[in-house]
Amino acid sequence: MQTSGYAATKAGLDESLRRFNHDYFDLVIIHWPTGNDDETYRALEDAYQDGKVRAIGLSNFNASQVQAIIDGATVAPAIDQIETHLLWQQKRMHAYLTSRGMVHESYAPLGENQPGFLDQPVLQKVAARYHRTPAQVTLRFLNQEGIVVIPKTLDPQHMADNLAIFDFTLAPADVRLLESLDKRQAIVGWPATMQEDQY
């Protein structure tokens, strides 16, 4: 469902519930800022009040855009889903979201299959030390930072590996090594409004 504005969002949500034959969704988010976000969000608030959704939130909103929603909201957004990975750790947004009681959810935590993303020597070295894959160490790093991760894969073994990250903890020295990889570098095509100099 991709809609903008109150009426279209309300109708789209009802149609989606009908098509999926459900009474409610666990979470509905506004995928991109569109300029009509107040009205779109108001439709989500009404759906929340009516029991049609259990949580509402945002995606790809920077701090200023999130704050604009909060300032006009009667139901606070629960989450902001933003690109977050080793090369763009989103420290500034993480601090902001945490201060507002919002969940920081990582989109593209493993770099969307960008060549060389998991081959960085520092990451390889840390992974070898824990006898884990670079992907597992990356996901564990983000998890330890208090970030929810949603890695994308259709491979059953990768799914199992992605879930097997809760039985080890990265030492502070290794966390610092991984933090050193932060280049504030987005994957190609990310909206300019998410760049840290824009908020």
Side-chain angles (χ1 to χ4, degrees):
M1 174 184 91
Q2 290 188 346
T3 59
S4 178
Y6 183 87
T9 301
K10 186 176 187 309
L13 183 59
D14 288 343
E15 173 61 16
S16 294
L17 286 169
R18 186 194 64 74
R19 280 195 355 249
F20 284 96
N21 196 29
H22 282 2
D23 296 325
Y24 67 89
F25 289 123
D26 288 323
L27 172 67
V28 176
I29 59 176
I30 300 176
H31 188 212
W32 296 99
T34 63
N36 198 14
D37 306 313
D38 290 342
E39 289 299 305
T40 302
Y41 194 78
R42 189 165 61 83
L44 297 188
E45 289 181 305
D46 285 353
Y48 174 86
Q49 299 291 2
D50 292 342
K52 295 177 182 178
V53 297
R54 291 188 169 177
I56 56 178
L58 308 168
S59 180
N60 305 310
F61 279 60
N62 69 26
S64 300
Q65 293 162 334
V66 173
Q67 192 61 51
I69 293 293
I70 290 173
D71 289 345
T74 57
V75 179
I79 190 169
D80 191 16
Q81 180 189 106
I82 57 176
E83 180 185 341
T84 310
H85 44 68
L86 287 177
L87 298 183
W88 196 12
Q89 296 176 23
Q90 296 278 17
K91 297 288 189 183
R92 188 170 173 183
M93 274 300 292
H94 183 71
Y96 169 80
L97 294 171
T98 300
S99 75
R100 300 305 188 274
M102 292 177 64
V103 172
H104 173 183
E105 183 173 63
S106 164
Y107 169 77
L110 299 178
E112 294 286 275
N113 295 318
Q114 293 293 309
F117 188 88
L118 296 174
D119 299 329
Q120 299 164 78
V122 168
L123 176 58
Q124 294 277 337
K125 181 179 177 180
V126 173
R129 187 159 33 248
Y130 291 87
H131 307 288
R132 301 293 175 141
T133 67
Q136 287 175 313
V137 167
T138 298
L139 296 175
R140 184 60 178 150
F141 168 75
L142 294 170
N143 177 262
Q144 277 186 220
E145 295 293 294
I147 299 167
V148 172
V149 294
I150 48 169
K152 178 182 176 183
T153 183
L154 297 176
D155 184 309
Q157 184 57 56
H158 288 167
M159 290 179 196
D161 290 345
N162 291 345
L163 290 169
I165 64 167
F166 300 105
D167 59 349
F168 73 103
T169 301
L170 296 168
D174 291 319
V175 169
R176 287 192 295 274
L177 281 173
L178 296 172
E179 286 177 333
S180 74
L181 298 175
D182 190 2
K183 295 179 174 58
R184 296 178 182 168
Q185 177 181 318
I187 294 170
V188 175
W190 202 249
T193 55
M194 285 305 296
Q195 300 298 330
E196 292 184 26
D197 62 357
Q198 298 296 309
Y199 64 89

